[in-house]
Amino acid sequence: MPSTGPDATATAQQAADDQADPTARSGGRPLLVRTRAELARARAALEGPVAVVMTMGALHEGHAGLVRAARGRGRSVVATVFVNPLQFGEALDLESYPRDLEGDLALLGREGVDVVFAPPVEEVYPGGPPQVRVAAGPLGEVLEGASRPGHFDGVLTVVTKLLHLTRPDVVLFGQKDAQQLLLVRRMVADLSFDVEVVAAPTAREDDGLARSSRNARLDPDGRARAAVLSRALRRGE
């Protein structure tokens, strides 16, 4: 049954406004763009320097910290929300990855993001899975890469595409994904990308567990056990 009342009317009006001009921002809500053409129009209107935060959605306070760091680095901030199928080894893992675009837009709006690029898969990979990809090399075959073959190739391929599409002056990544951060920095240096890569500190829960979108998938026992590594490292230190 369709929604009625003031909220539904406002939503319908916003949708109509967006359709008339997809680069028109509404109130404190960031401009949501879905296509590369819309992104190009929105990007051309931004004042520089432009800072970009790349995410897979299901955002939390850790992402909010990244956006605040981006705001300190750029006059304009772009966030991407895209669940990249290339970096998932199992279809079930991809299907079960948490998604909450409305919640993401609310958080990004509170943090002052200017543009959110949330494309469908076919917009990022219009010809299907890309035949040419970025290879992570030896650094992507150890540690997490050893248990997730091809994962970092998928990460670097989508990061490359998003860097080309958003054209940032600075891009921010969390230190939580340390191997990913190292690989992105190495790729930017090796392939001569004209962008500064900035690391933001890991955001943690009160018990020391690093904030992650996947934490929502832990049952109470798993949630309790997940903080053991952090406590052990701190005691060892």
Side-chain angles (χ1 to χ4, degrees), residues 175-192:
Q175 289 179 324
K176 176 179 74 71
D177 299 308
Q179 189 173 4
Q180 172 180 281
L181 173 62
L182 173 65
L183 283 163
V184 169
R185 281 180 160 162
R186 185 58 184 261
M187 179 186 74
V188 164
D190 286 352
L191 301 184
S192 302

Side-chain angles (χ1 to χ4, degrees), residues 34-35 82 118-125:
R34 294 286 202 167
T35 69
F82 179 64
V121 172
E122 57 270 20
E123 190 69 23
V124 178
Y125 304 120

Side-chain angles (χ1 to χ4, degrees), residues 5-17:
D7 290 343
T9 302
T11 300
Q13 182 60 51
Q14 181 181 342
D17 292 343

Side-chain angles (χ1 to χ4, degrees), residues 115-198:
V115 177
V116 176
F117 181 45
V121 172
E122 57 270 20
E123 190 69 23
V124 178
Y125 304 120
Q131 299 299 301
V132 177
R133 309 187 186 196
V134 178
L139 291 175
E141 298 172 357
V142 297
L143 302 176
E144 184 178 2
S147 59
R148 301 179 71 183
H151 168 70
F152 287 114
D153 293 357
V155 170
L156 295 185
T157 298
V158 79
V159 167
T160 294
K161 295 205 72 165
L162 292 174
L163 286 175
H164 286 317
L165 293 171
T166 59
R167 297 182 288 111
D169 298 288
V170 56
V171 61
L172 292 92
F173 291 91
Q175 289 179 324
K176 176 179 74 71
D177 299 308
Q179 189 173 4
Q180 172 180 281
L181 173 62
L182 173 65
L183 283 163
V184 169
R185 281 180 160 162
R186 185 58 184 261
M187 179 186 74
V188 164
D190 286 352
L191 301 184
S192 302
F193 280 84
D194 187 18
V195 63
E196 179 185 5
V197 180
V198 172

